[in-house]
Amino acid sequence: MSKIDIKSMSKDELSLALQEINLPRFRTNQIFSWLHQKGVSSFDEMSNLSKSLRETLDSRFILRSCEIETKRVSKEDGTIKYLFRLFDGEYVESVLMKYKYGYSLCVSTQVGCRMGCKFCASTLGGV
């Protein structure tokens, strides 16, 4: 049996999956909160769950995350670029730019991009 990406599940989907392993209904809100409000990156961080429950979750689900590989701040205009390493080793980039009217944020949500922005490395390799 392959593990299910638990963060990609809606609250209803999580509830059904937890019912399948006979967990009480209150666990849905508890686990959903750990995932989406507290932003844990491992089941071990869910400190109000028993160790056996955390092991059960780890055996059935995968908890994927990304990490900041590099952060660069432009001395010229304060633009901030983040390079994120995904769980599969691929990369995406985000750029925060300040303008006189406010901020603009570009977030790559997939590896590769067709936009062709000169400031972003996500477009270099294409889609």
Side-chain angles (χ1 to χ4, degrees):
M1 177 175 82
S2 62
K3 291 185 179 185
I4 301 167
D5 180 1
I6 195 169
K7 278 189 172 179
S8 70
M9 301 173 85
S10 69
K11 197 172 195 178
D12 290 339
E13 291 169 331
L14 178 62
S15 180
L16 287 173
L18 297 178
Q19 284 176 22
E20 288 175 9
I21 55 175
N22 300 314
L23 290 179
R25 187 174 236 127
F26 76 91
R27 292 290 188 198
T28 300
N29 288 334
Q30 192 177 31
I31 294 169
F32 200 82
S33 173
W34 277 113
L35 297 171
H36 299 289
Q37 292 171 343
K38 297 174 183 153
V40 296
S41 58
S42 86
F43 295 111
D44 288 333
E45 294 176 63
M46 298 179 178
S47 57
N48 63 348
L49 304 182
S50 69
K51 184 174 179 169
S52 65
L53 176 51
R54 288 180 274 158
E55 289 171 352
T56 299
L57 292 173
D58 189 47
S59 71
R60 297 184 62 95
F61 303 101
I62 190 164
L63 189 53
R64 295 180 171 158
S65 62
C66 65
E67 296 179 19
I68 297 173
E69 184 77 12
T70 59
K71 174 185 174 184
R72 294 194 172 129
V73 180
S74 169
K75 292 178 184 175
E76 216 173 281
D77 62 5
T79 295
I80 303 171
K81 293 173 69 171
Y82 290 95
L83 183 64
F84 297 99
R85 184 170 38 83
L86 304 177
F87 66 92
D88 61 0
E90 295 287 350
Y91 294 91
V92 294
E93 189 172 56
S94 295
V95 183
L96 178 65
M97 299 159 283
K98 184 176 181 180
Y99 294 99
K100 59 184 169 193
Y101 54 81
Y103 289 91
S104 180
L105 176 65
C106 177
V107 179
S108 295
T109 58
Q110 63 184 26
V111 176
C113 180
R114 292 184 183 186
M115 291 302 292
C117 301
K118 302 284 187 226
F119 55 79
C120 184
S122 292
T123 194
L124 297 177
V127 177

